[in-house]
Amino acid sequence: MTKYIVKKYDQDDYKIWNDFVAQSKNATFLFHRDFMEYHQDRFDDFSLLVFEGQKLVSVLPANKSGEIIYSHQGLTYGSLVYKEQTKLAAVIEIFQAILFFLNENKIEILQFKALPSIYHLKPADEVLYALFLGDAKLVRRDSLSVIDLSQDNITSKIRKRGFQKGVSNQLIIKEETHFESFWNEILIPNLDKRHNAKPVHSVEEMNYLKSVFPKNIHQFNVYSGDKIVAGTTVFETQTVAHCQYISKNKDQENLGSLDFLFHHLIQERFAEKRFFDFGISNENQGKNLNEGLSYWKESFGASIIIHDFYELQTVNYKKLKGIFV
């Protein structure tokens, strides 16, 4: 039905997959197979490659759960990945070929997770138009708190006072190569106490990912004397510094530790990045907003970028026929 051939990823595709991701306009290091596979025991991989003849033209990071295919559930974001040269009409046809392939393989539903626009190297919303043509249903919408570092941003007086408090308390920021202190003394106790939850990544997983992606994963800890009081884990892409984890010692609220830390990250360490992404303040699949957390991020000058999630029937490949005039 199409000039495109779709196949399921296998280990022999490791190099061609990674080479393609490195050359695309809408992928990050999270789509590298070494990142996708650190937790492969938890997910039934169903990633797809799309070829035009012998040429790889697109990939879709994905996994299967039950009878549903998901934009990979082990990743913060997802997308149909393609290169700068790929035209809108081709993306539509590639997406149609994927839906047809899934439908032929008795998969009825695709849950598609988009890539927020700040992570695009160049505009890459072609796939969102293809989703519209396929009658995809918006099922979740998260709000990312993002600072555009190419523009002037207003930091609130309360954040400035917090930074000065950190200076007065002689806090020290260290960029470190290990994660044990932050995980064991700050992050794990806080998540357990406040949410009865654990970090998505274990210490062992973070140490492994740091060893594989040393230029992309960073740990910043704040110390009062020799005691750790706060920290954040940052995933760095070509355009974005993204905070994967943020936490502080709740018994030492008045040190100004996070204000001190984020002043440094925004004004100095990542000042040359295009965007600084605090991440979401949403719960319950985007239906609830942690207002206090959102306000704290916005008081650094952040505003909102949307991250969308869609669901569509694979039989809707038929809806992408006959659209060109």
Side-chain angles (χ1 to χ4, degrees):
M1 75 151 256
T2 174
K3 63 183 178 181
Y4 296 106
I5 299 169
V6 182
K7 74 176 287 278
K8 188 171 176 289
Y9 174 85
D10 63 48
Q11 201 58 43
D12 291 340
D13 299 316
Y14 174 88
K15 186 177 188 306
I16 189 175
W17 175 287
N18 290 332
D19 288 346
F20 186 86
V21 164
Q23 297 169 26
S24 72
K25 69 172 180 176
N26 62 335
T28 74
F29 74 97
L30 270 68
F31 295 168
H32 192 286
R33 295 307 308 189
D34 287 346
F35 193 99
M36 292 178 62
E37 294 173 8
Y38 82 87
H39 47 20
Q40 58 186 321
D41 58 315
R42 282 179 260 163
F43 298 97
D44 181 8
D45 191 272
F46 206 94
S47 298
L48 301 176
L49 300 91
V50 185
F51 292 86
E52 183 177 8
Q54 299 297 313
K55 181 183 178 184
L56 181 61
V57 294
S58 184
V59 300
L60 177 67
N63 71 284
K64 183 179 181 182
S65 180
E67 297 304 314
I68 300 175
I69 299 301
Y70 293 84
S71 284
H72 205 292
Q73 291 173 292
L75 304 178
T76 306
Y77 40 71
S79 187
L80 181 68
V81 179
Y82 39 88
K83 294 184 179 180
E84 178 183 349
Q85 308 93 294
T86 309
K87 302 297 187 278
L88 174 58
V91 173
I92 294 168
E93 291 179 324
I94 289 166
F95 193 63
Q96 180 187 27
I98 287 174
L99 293 180
F100 179 76
F101 174 84
L102 294 176
N103 191 257
E104 287 288 290
N105 283 274
K106 312 303 180 186
I107 303 295
E108 295 183 0
I109 296 174
L110 172 63
Q111 292 271 356
F112 188 93
K113 181 163 37 181
L115 180 70
S117 59
I118 55 174
Y119 291 92
H120 297 169
L121 299 185
K122 294 195 172 180
D125 281 344
E126 293 88 353
V127 70
L128 298 184
Y129 183 62
L131 286 161
F132 161 74
L133 295 174
D135 280 347
K137 177 185 177 183
L138 180 67
V139 294
R140 173 178 168 182
R141 171 167 280 175
D142 287 339
S143 56
L144 307 180
S145 299
V146 175
I147 301 175
D148 183 343
L149 295 173
S150 70
Q151 303 187 39
D152 293 332
N153 294 283
I154 299 174
T155 304
S156 72
K157 292 180 180 178
I158 193 170
R159 297 282 74 82
K160 292 178 180 178
R161 287 199 298 269
F163 166 72
Q164 290 300 331
K165 191 178 294 184
V167 174
S168 299
N169 287 318
Q170 298 182 314
L171 299 182
I172 298 170
I173 298 169
K174 296 182 181 179
E175 183 171 355
E176 302 185 316
T177 57
H178 61 83
F179 299 85
E180 282 80 2
S181 296
F182 179 60
W183 247 246
N184 295 333
E185 298 181 45
I186 303 292
L187 185 61
I188 291 176
N190 279 352
L191 287 177
D192 181 59
K193 183 177 180 179
R194 299 187 64 189
H195 303 288
N196 193 27
K198 296 180 180 180
V200 173
H201 305 87
S202 68
V203 169
E204 294 76 17
E205 288 170 341
M206 287 306 305
N207 284 329
Y208 166 74
L209 290 171
K210 173 68 173 176
S211 71
V212 178
F213 303 101
K215 295 182 179 179
N216 300 106
I217 298 177
H218 312 280
Q219 179 61 41
F220 299 91
N221 293 339
V222 183
Y223 291 87
S224 176
D226 59 358
K227 181 177 178 58
I228 184 172
V229 294
T232 186
T233 309
V234 175
F235 284 8
E236 180 182 0
T237 69
Q238 194 165 335
T239 58
V240 182
H242 163 70
C243 300
Q244 186 71 19
Y245 296 104
I246 304 170
S247 196
K248 68 177 180 178
N249 187 325
K250 296 301 179 183
D251 296 327
Q252 295 177 306
E253 291 278 359
N254 297 317
L255 290 176
S257 57
L258 288 182
D259 291 341
F260 184 71
L261 172 59
F262 281 93
H263 178 276
H264 167 72
L265 297 180
I266 295 165
Q267 301 294 332
E268 298 178 35
R269 180 62 173 80
F270 294 110
E272 300 305 313
K273 282 289 164 193
R274 176 66 196 278
F275 299 105
F276 190 90
D277 175 17
F278 282 99
I280 68 171
S281 303
N282 308 100
E283 300 173 12
N284 187 26
Q285 299 293 298
K287 294 292 186 179
N288 295 112
L289 177 69
N290 184 326
E291 184 181 5
L293 182 58
S294 181
Y295 172 81
W296 177 76
K297 296 170 181 178
E298 290 170 326
S299 63
F300 283 100
S303 48
I304 299 304
I305 292 287
I306 290 301
H307 184 197
D308 283 343
F309 300 69
Y310 298 89
E311 177 181 298
L312 72 162
Q313 303 290 320
T314 61
V315 71
N316 287 4
Y317 73 84
K318 297 175 183 177
K319 295 181 181 290
L320 278 71
K321 293 181 178 179
I323 65 159
F324 302 124
V325 295

